[in-house]
């Protein structure tokens, strides 16, 4: 997801180095080093006296023209004087933003004025205007309205629109689509999990030291100018990708604080406006607090930090995903989790894949998961380890479909199975994939190759093993006997077991079984950074197309208890700290995925009558899978071919990677 860490830069150093490069490349250009929109001051001269009242804050002292700012390699950079934010067209006399003018010299407001100026028919008119003579009738048509008049009219228009918007907002209730992470966090004083906790998410491995007080350049929304302008803001609070910002000049005034996604396209490091020729305009609310905004900014930004100049590039690079539509994979069968099937990548959103099972004619039989999910594998994986696999009814690959390269899938840790290893019949504790809120008594039912194990939940297994599920030996979802007792987690005993409270010693003796050795389990606990109470966005693994507002409610080593805000605790899920199904606050907004807001009180009450039925349905589903009796399973299995690929199977069995499949008789 990216290379090394992103570290904030000193604002003044970064800004002056950028401007020095611009001046070296354009020695004739006398641009304002802050990109300040100096012409803006002319719009407020009639009200400048108000800024000198006793209630106004102390103005920053103006800086001498030769004030040294910073020394670097023996060179002293100084802050130059001059106004270059505005320009006047030499043809028609229009006053406007210099950056919007035509040509490198910025002498004309448009191509037509530039061409007219060069034509002989206009020379006399231009000469007359320069000599102070009355313009011709045609010249009067070309003259534009003064900028102040235009801005006044535009400001009035903007104020009207804002009043209409406020009235409309006041008369309408907040809809589900109106959920705001910023309001939710502010109103409840919540804390969000840092982006660095999510290594699989964009910028997760290179977030660096982006934190509070970092300064950035953002669009100035407190402005009535017709063009898009920017101003500098500081980060007041971070919540995942979202940041609470405050414009420079507001000090302790939070009236115009606003939330934005720091990875958005309109967020830039300080110095970007100067390098790009974009105007910096102070917000209208505080524009009269200081007469010398340049000096104010220099004073405020000295010693401050900003984003690195390549931050937008790193964001873009971290959102490039190797999986593409039409790629074929092997994925768990959501109706029979003991086997895999071939599916095709339909779409990719933020690294999440919508997979459509290959036999689905109407392309509605789908499955959602992240590209790093342990539930997807390369074509041929099932045969290579001896896992069950359902052959496709399609005898030939569809045009354009191709097998996903094996190196794109998440790698599992290599294990040594030659020594002491897991054996069939050994007991352990495991998260039940049919009810992710529980950890159950389980048994190793089959040992596969490459460290993979088939696990069954005691007391609820089908006779033919159709509800076994595959975990790797290093999976954080399986635990040694006694894990729940040591960590004070409720262990779910086998269904129908009556000797409660459940005791492992008694159960092992009664069943004549042994516990899997503790040393074979994954004991690595990374410094994940999660804390109880942190907010995040999490996949509802019982309905994996949904991503919901969630909270970390408990942490056991690397195991997290995830609660979906607004829902009962029975819907909680145990998830590993490195699960690709967890995302920072703001991930859905960044990637364009729909976020499910917390369930409202009214929606919960409306479902109270059917809550027991919903609980039963949800607890019996594994990404669409429904538990059935043995007879029901046998009836359904008659409708489709199911194959068990044993390690070292004969060549008569296809591995699923061939272009043409040979149908095998049952």
């Amino acid at each position: 997801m990216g290379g090394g860490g992103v570290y904030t830069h000193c604002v003044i150093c970064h800004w002056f180095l950028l401007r020095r490069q611009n001046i070296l490349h354009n020695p004739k250009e006398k641009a304002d080093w802050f990109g300040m929109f100096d012409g803006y001051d002319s719009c407020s001269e009639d009200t400048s006296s108000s800024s000198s009242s006793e209630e106004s804050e102390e103005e920053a002292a103006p800086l001498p023209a030769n004030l040294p700012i910073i020394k670097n390699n023996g060179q002293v950079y100084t802050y130059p004087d001059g106004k270059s934010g505005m320009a006047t067209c030499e043809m028609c006399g229009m006053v406007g933003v210099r950056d919007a003018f035509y040509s490198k010299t910025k002498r004309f407001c448009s191509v037509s004025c530039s061409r007219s100026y060069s034509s002989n028919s206009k020379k006399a008119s231009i000469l007359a205007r320069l000599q102070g003579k009355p313009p011709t009738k045609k010249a009067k048509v070309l003259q534009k309205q003064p900028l102040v008049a235009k801005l006044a009219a535009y400001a009035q228009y903007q104020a009207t629109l804002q009043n209409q918007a406020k009235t409309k907002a006041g008369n309408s209730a907040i809809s589900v689509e109106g959920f705001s992470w910023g309001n939710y966090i502010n109103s409840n004083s919540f804390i969000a999990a840092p982006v660095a906790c999510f290594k699989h998410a964009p910028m997760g491995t290179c977030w660096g030291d982006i934190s509070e007080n970092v300064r950035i350049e953002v669009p100035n929304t407190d402005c009535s100018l017709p063009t898009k302008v920017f101003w500098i803001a500081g980060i007041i609070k971070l919540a995942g990708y979202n940041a609470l910002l405050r414009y420079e000049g507001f000090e302790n005034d939070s009236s115009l604080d606003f939330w934005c996604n720091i990875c958005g396209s309109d967020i830039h490091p300080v110095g970007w406006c100067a390098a790009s020729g974009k105007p910096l305009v102070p917000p209208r609310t505080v524009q009269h607090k200081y007469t010398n905004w340049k000096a104010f900014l220099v004073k405020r930004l000295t010693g401050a930090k900003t984003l690195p100049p390549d931050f937008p590039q790193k964001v873009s690079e971290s959102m490039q995903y190797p999986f593409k539509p039409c790629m074929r994979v092997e994925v768990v069968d959501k109706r029979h989790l003991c086997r895999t099937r071939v599916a095709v990548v339909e779409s990719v959103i933020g690294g999440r894949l919508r997979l459509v099972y290959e036999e689905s004619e109407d392309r509605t039989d789908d499955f959602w998961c992240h590209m790093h999910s342990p539930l997807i594998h390369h074509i041929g994986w099932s045969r290579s380890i001896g896992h069950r696999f359902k052959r496709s009814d399609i005898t030939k690959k569809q045009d354009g479909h191709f097998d996903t390269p094996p190196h794109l899938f998440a790698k599992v840790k290599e294990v040594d199975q030659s020594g002491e290893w897991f054996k069939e019949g050994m007991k352990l504790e495991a998260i039940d994939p049919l009810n992710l809120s529980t950890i159950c008594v389980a048994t190793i039912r089959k040992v596969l190759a490459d460290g993979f194990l088939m696990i069954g939940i005691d007391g609820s297994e089908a006779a033919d093993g159709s509800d076994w599920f595959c975990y790797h030996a290093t999976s954080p979802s399986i635990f040694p006997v006694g894990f729940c007792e040591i960590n004070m987690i409720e262990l779910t005993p086998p269904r129908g077991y009556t000797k409660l409270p459940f005791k492992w010693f008694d159960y092992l003796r009664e069943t004549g079984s042994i516990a899997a050795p503790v040393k074979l389990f994954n004991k690595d606990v990374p410094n994940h950074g999660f804390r109880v109470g942190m907010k995040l966005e999490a996949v509802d693994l019982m309905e994996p197309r949904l991503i919901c507002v969630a909270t970390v409610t408990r942490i056991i080593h690397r195991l997290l208890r995830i609660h979906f805000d607004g829902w009962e605790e029975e819907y909680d899920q145990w998830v590993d700290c490195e699960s690709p199904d967890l995302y920072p606050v703001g991930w859905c907004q960044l990637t364009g995925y729909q976020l499910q807001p917390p369930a409202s009180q009214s929606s919960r009450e409306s479902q109270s009558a059917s809550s027991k039925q919903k609980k039963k349905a949800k607890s019996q589903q594994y990404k669409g899978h429904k538990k059935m009796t043995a007879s029901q399973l046998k009836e359904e299995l008659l409708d489709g071919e199911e194959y068990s690929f044993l390690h070292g199977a004969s060549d008569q069995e296809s591995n699923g990677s061939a272009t043409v499949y040979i149908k095998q008789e049952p």
Side-chain angles (χ1 to χ4, degrees), residues 89-93 124-133 135 143:
C89 180
E90 295 184 14
M91 178 61 213
C92 66
S125 176
I126 297 168
L127 181 60
R129 182 169 61 82
L130 293 176
Q131 292 175 349
K133 297 179 181 180
Q143 268 192 319

Side-chain angles (χ1 to χ4, degrees), residues 18 62 80 146 593:
L18 280 175
Y593 205 96

Side-chain angles (χ1 to χ4, degrees), residues 494-506:
R495 184 179 300 174
Y497 189 76
T498 57
K499 294 183 63 175
L500 301 177
F502 177 85
K503 298 293 183 182
W504 264 115
F505 180 81
D506 295 337

Side-chain angles (χ1 to χ4, degrees), residues 645-658:
F645 283 146
L646 302 178
H647 192 51
S650 67
D651 294 336
Q652 294 178 350
E653 294 179 311
S654 169
N655 65 0
S657 61

Side-chain angles (χ1 to χ4, degrees), residues 291-348:
T291 56
N292 191 336
W293 278 101
K294 297 175 215 173
F296 168 80
L297 289 180
V298 170
K299 182 178 179 181
R300 287 284 296 170
L301 300 181
T302 300
K305 293 181 179 180
T306 188
L307 301 176
D310 62 345
F311 184 78
Q313 179 184 351
K314 283 189 174 291
V315 171
S316 177
E317 291 174 353
S318 67
M319 296 183 67
Q320 303 300 315
Y321 307 104
F323 281 78
K324 307 296 179 186
C326 297
M327 285 184 170
R328 298 170 74 243
V329 301
E330 286 186 11
V331 63
V332 66
D333 186 342
K334 67 181 183 182
R335 292 183 178 84
H336 301 283
L337 58 100
C338 66
R339 68 187 183 189
T340 58
R341 297 169 62 183
V342 174
V344 179
V345 178
E346 179 75 11
S347 59
V348 183

